[in-house]
Amino acid sequence: MTTYAQQANSGKDSSMSNSNNNNSSNANSSSDYSKKDEFRRYLEKTGVLDALTKVLVGLYEEPERPVNAIDYIKRYIGAPQNVDVEGLKRENDQLRAELEKLKKGSHSNQKSKGNNNQNNSNVASS
């Protein structure tokens, strides 16, 4: 069974191939085409095209169109619902700052321990 994306990609866009034959902008359009083709191969290789095709087919086959298609797509793909992204970002920033403080405190403790060991060895040798 071929997907819609595979069918669309098998015919290659004729407007792109026609622009490649145009001598005035041949280098530019060729470069654009190769970038688009590389990106398309990347999406195909990583399964993004198949996933998007499946979600769009599922949306098309819904008996009643959802009010918010974006939410439908997020649910279909598996995005978490009711997540406070901004809150998670703030918490992440706070935890990073706390980690930096702990790292700095740990380094100063190690230095002072090293100095104490040196002082103790000097006392012992006298």
Side-chain angles (χ1 to χ4, degrees):
M1 178 175 135
T2 60
T3 64
Y4 174 76
Q6 289 169 333
Q7 291 172 353
N9 289 328
S10 67
K12 299 287 185 205
D13 189 359
S14 61
S15 64
M16 285 187 161
S17 61
N18 287 341
S19 67
N20 284 341
N21 293 332
N22 186 350
N23 289 335
S24 63
S25 64
N26 191 19
N28 240 358
S29 61
S30 177
S31 173
D32 290 344
Y33 177 76
S34 64
K35 286 180 183 178
K36 289 177 184 177
D37 192 49
E38 179 182 332
F39 186 66
R40 182 194 54 78
R41 285 193 309 266
Y42 161 74
L43 292 176
E44 191 171 351
K45 178 182 173 186
T46 57
V48 172
L49 285 180
D50 286 337
L52 289 175
T53 300
K54 287 177 185 175
V55 72
L56 292 174
V57 167
L59 181 60
Y60 175 77
E61 292 175 348
E62 277 292 315
E64 292 183 27
R65 299 281 187 249
V67 174
N68 190 334
I70 296 293
D71 285 343
Y72 174 87
I73 291 170
K74 287 179 182 178
R75 268 194 325 275
Y76 193 95
I77 290 178
Q81 296 177 355
N82 302 324
V83 174
D84 180 16
V85 175
E86 292 304 315
L88 290 173
K89 286 180 180 179
R90 283 190 302 273
E91 181 182 6
N92 191 20
D93 290 340
Q94 290 171 349
L95 292 172
R96 286 179 191 267
E98 187 177 330
L99 178 62
E100 284 301 313
K101 284 182 185 178
L102 291 172
K103 282 182 178 179
K104 288 179 183 177
S106 167
H107 290 302
S108 64
N109 284 344
Q110 288 176 354
K111 287 180 184 177
S112 65
K113 285 181 182 178
N115 290 339
N116 286 341
N117 287 341
Q118 286 178 348
N119 290 339
N120 289 342
S121 65
N122 289 339
V123 170
S125 64
S126 351

